[in-house]
Amino acid sequence: MTENQRKIRLLVVDDIVETRNNLINLLYFERDIEVVDSATRGQEGIDKAKKLNPDIVLMDINMPDMNGIQATEIIIKQVPGVSVIMMSVQGEQDYLRQAMRAGAREFLVKPFSGDELVSSIRHVYQDEQSKRRFAVPVQYQPGLPSAPNGSEATQGEIISIFSPKGGIGRTTIITNLAVAVKQYSKKRVALVDGSLFFGDVGIMMDIRNTKTMSDLQGRIENLDTQLLQDVMLTHSSELKVLLAPSKPDQGELVTADDLKKILKELKNNYDYIFVDTFSSLKEETQLSILDMSDLILTVMSLEMTAIKDIRLFLEVTEILEYPKDKIVLVLNRADSKHGLRAENIETTIGHQIAATISSGGPAVTLSINRGTPLVIDAPDNPFSKDIQTLAHKIVDGEIGNKVAVNGSRKNGKVKGKKSGGLFGLFARRK
Ligand SMILES: Nc1ncnc2c1ncn2[C@@H]1O[C@H](COP(=O)(O)OP(=O)(O)OP(=O)(O)O)[C@@H](O)[C@H]1O
Ligand SMILES: [Mg+2]
């Protein structure tokens, strides 16, 4: 190595002090590798990776608070050009798969030798360098969303909003939230109206339904980026919107498979895909949205009926084997005083409330009637402020990990689920 060749900058994240020191010692005499810092927790690792911009993060999987897979997902999204090498004592396929899905480049099973470690670091670094050398800037066609730096190859995050109860504020929240995420992140953001029969997104955003999901009818098999862009409408906030069919009988023609293909294609083209839904678990289309979601914002209010329904819905998500951190509880009109306290509700339902949204009063209805989301119309309204806070948490990767059991944000898989809907599952459980 010549003097002016730069060293490979490495950040070590491991909660066990002995392991950290061993790793640092193993690498001490390698002239081309420099350990720039170490961290003991996932969040600390994320903060240091953002600050120091290392070439490689050497990440342990099993750590308290936030595991290495979750930390990796966030680092890959937020730190351009970084590569992650994952370490674990477990070599099981499941860990390996999760690590790779989170974006890790290599997987080292402990205990490993110094040689294995060094050659893995060099290999990942050289691989990344040659990719950069040969990378051709992606030319985006007119009308297509432009990809921000480093996000060309990433898969977007699907964030749906659901509630077992209707009229609880789903469409109001998701339209405002999508706009707030667009404003805050400047990333590629799409909004899909998955409320197939009586979709309200077009009205709430004052977008005429000149094109809707129905325009994809019969063309789903040929769905590609261009076709998708042709049917998406642009809101004044630069958000791209895919509207629900304009009539209920057209809505009936959209199948669960169609929706899956649409969402899959959107994932390749956008960083965030927000999806509105309606309150039916009997509908395969709605279940397919929930299955495909990385996060399900689950809206509730401080009413006994809403709380009872949420408790039942949480049971259903267990049957569906969704990871616990996929369900993000959002308490709407949290400031309304009905004699119930949010803390008590958390205990009753056994799930943390991740975000609260204040009542925006008549301004919300006014904004709906005008067709301008309140975050644009009145950004200082308490409702808008809370929506902005939620948007920041999503973009900064703070949501969805707090109540993690063990695993990354991942899509739940429905064990043995057949096309007959959810109710077969109840029967099987008995
Ligand atoms: N935080 C809030 N502050 C004030 N008004 C609100 C708030 N959340 C919802 N609303 C009002 O509640 C009504 C229902 O909201 P919305 O249409 O978003 O619910 P929904 O769950 O999408 O209903 P649907 O079942 O019809 O799809 C709207 O009139 C909206 O103005
Ligand atoms: Mg709605």
Side-chain angles (χ1 to χ4, degrees):
M1 195 182 111
T2 57
E3 269 320 294
N4 52 5
Q5 260 180 310
R6 65 185 282 277
K7 292 184 175 190
I8 305 172
R9 301 174 72 252
L10 191 86
L11 172 69
V12 177
V13 186
D14 196 309
D15 59 320
I16 298 171
V17 67
E18 250 183 285
T19 317
R20 262 193 338 268
N21 290 340
N22 278 343
L23 289 167
I24 294 168
N25 289 340
L26 275 175
L27 297 168
Y28 188 78
F29 293 107
E30 299 304 326
R31 293 183 56 209
D32 57 341
I33 299 170
E34 178 192 4
V35 178
V36 288
D37 208 341
S38 62
T40 57
R41 292 283 189 275
Q43 186 58 51
E44 191 191 353
I46 295 168
D47 296 341
K48 288 195 169 163
K50 279 191 200 164
K51 195 168 138 221
L52 301 167
N53 218 331
D55 297 303
I56 292 175
V57 178
L58 199 52
M59 175 80 77
D60 187 26
I61 285 198
N62 289 310
M63 287 184 290
D65 304 336
M66 180 191 288
N67 70 35
I69 290 171
Q70 292 163 338
T72 298
E73 265 192 330
I74 296 169
I75 288 174
I76 296 290
K77 272 192 192 144
Q78 297 186 4
V79 186
V82 72
S83 304
V84 176
I85 299 175
M86 201 73 98
M87 308 174 286
S88 173
V89 276
Q90 285 116 328
E92 299 109 316
Q93 279 304 37
D94 196 37
Y95 267 106
L96 181 63
R97 217 174 16 243
Q98 284 183 36
M100 292 306 163
R101 214 184 287 152
R105 295 283 287 276
E106 285 227 16
F107 194 90
L108 288 170
V109 180
K110 291 177 186 171
F112 44 79
S113 67
D115 283 349
E116 277 177 278
L117 173 63
V118 171
S119 85
S120 169
I121 292 171
R122 287 191 187 130
H123 173 249
V124 166
Y125 179 74
Q126 278 155 12
D127 204 18
E128 178 63 25
Q129 292 304 304
S130 57
K131 257 195 207 153
R132 280 191 211 174
R133 224 171 297 132
F134 296 115
V136 180
V138 178
Q139 293 285 317
Y140 280 85
Q141 298 167 35
L144 295 188
S146 58
N149 284 347
S151 68
E152 290 89 357
T154 58
Q155 284 274 300
E157 195 165 8
I158 298 179
I159 302 175
S160 61
I161 192 155
F162 184 79
S163 170
K165 247 193 181 353
I168 201 153
R170 271 170 312 195
T171 313
T172 311
I173 292 172
I174 202 79
T175 46
N176 277 279
L177 185 62
V179 170
V181 165
K182 179 72 197 172
Q183 288 174 334
Y184 180 61
S185 70
K186 304 273 179 263
K187 291 202 169 184
R188 302 166 298 169
V189 184
L191 173 62
V192 178
D193 194 347
S195 181
L196 300 174
F197 303 108
F198 300 100
D200 290 331
V201 169
I203 295 275
M204 287 204 192
M205 306 201 79
D206 194 21
I207 299 177
R208 281 169 185 248
N209 54 4
T210 46
K211 281 177 184 161
T212 72
M213 232 176 255
S214 301
D215 292 289
L216 292 173
Q217 212 61 58
R219 303 156 81 192
I220 293 280
E221 288 310 320
N222 304 321
L223 189 64
D224 61 8
T225 306
Q226 190 60 56
L227 180 52
L228 197 57
Q229 296 311 321
D230 285 349
V231 296
M232 294 190 76
L233 302 166
T234 309
H235 183 249
S236 55
S237 61
E238 292 180 25
L239 187 72
K240 294 282 179 176
V241 183
L242 179 57
L243 290 179
S246 46
K247 291 190 179 146
D249 56 326
Q250 291 170 354
E252 212 171 10
L253 299 176
V254 180
T255 66
D257 256 9
D258 293 346
L259 271 177
K260 277 186 191 159
K261 284 183 184 133
I262 291 170
L263 291 176
K264 200 164 160 241
E265 193 57 40
L266 285 168
K267 239 173 133 67
N268 294 332
N269 288 280
Y270 290 87
D271 298 296
Y272 296 101
I273 304 106
F274 291 94
V275 192
D276 195 14
T277 63
F278 64 94
S279 310
S280 171
L281 285 173
K282 183 102 175 73
E283 262 286 324
E284 274 290 318
T285 52
Q286 302 305 294
L287 268 179
S288 72
I289 294 172
L290 301 185
D291 281 353
M292 292 280 291
S293 298
D294 296 286
L295 295 179
I296 302 170
L297 304 177
T298 307
V299 188
M300 60 183 290
S301 63
L302 285 170
E303 283 167 45
M304 279 312 285
T305 49
I307 296 159
K308 183 263 295 169
D309 289 353
I310 288 290
R311 217 174 62 182
L312 294 176
F313 175 62
L314 290 174
E315 279 178 28
V316 170
T317 64
E318 277 175 29
I319 299 169
L320 294 172
E321 295 186 348
Y322 291 165
K324 200 171 179 186
D325 60 343
K326 175 166 164 165
I327 313 299
V328 175
L329 276 191
V330 177
L331 180 61
N332 192 20
R333 301 177 195 255
D335 49 343
S336 306
K337 300 274 175 272
H338 297 299
L340 296 174
R341 291 163 65 93
E343 310 84 79
N344 298 345
I345 294 166
E346 285 179 329
T347 317
T348 310
I349 60 181
H351 202 103
Q352 207 177 323
I353 293 168
T356 54
I357 309 288
S358 304
S359 172
V364 174
T365 314
L366 204 66
S367 79
I368 291 174
N369 291 344
R370 269 207 205 120
T372 315
L374 200 67
V375 284
I376 297 176
D377 234 9
D380 292 327
N381 180 291
F383 170 90
S384 306
K385 288 269 173 216
D386 288 342
I387 291 284
Q388 287 152 5
T389 305
L390 178 55
H392 297 187
K393 282 186 182 173
I394 288 171
V395 174
D396 296 339
E398 290 169 21
I399 279 264
N401 298 316
K402 281 186 183 164
V403 284
V405 186
N406 187 14
S408 62
R409 282 183 188 182
K410 61 176 185 183
N411 301 333
K413 292 226 164 45
V414 183
K415 211 186 223 171
K417 187 161 91 64
K418 298 233 166 70
S419 56
L422 176 78
F423 294 90
L425 288 170
F426 285 115
R428 255 195 295 283
R429 199 169 63 131
K430 283 182 187 151

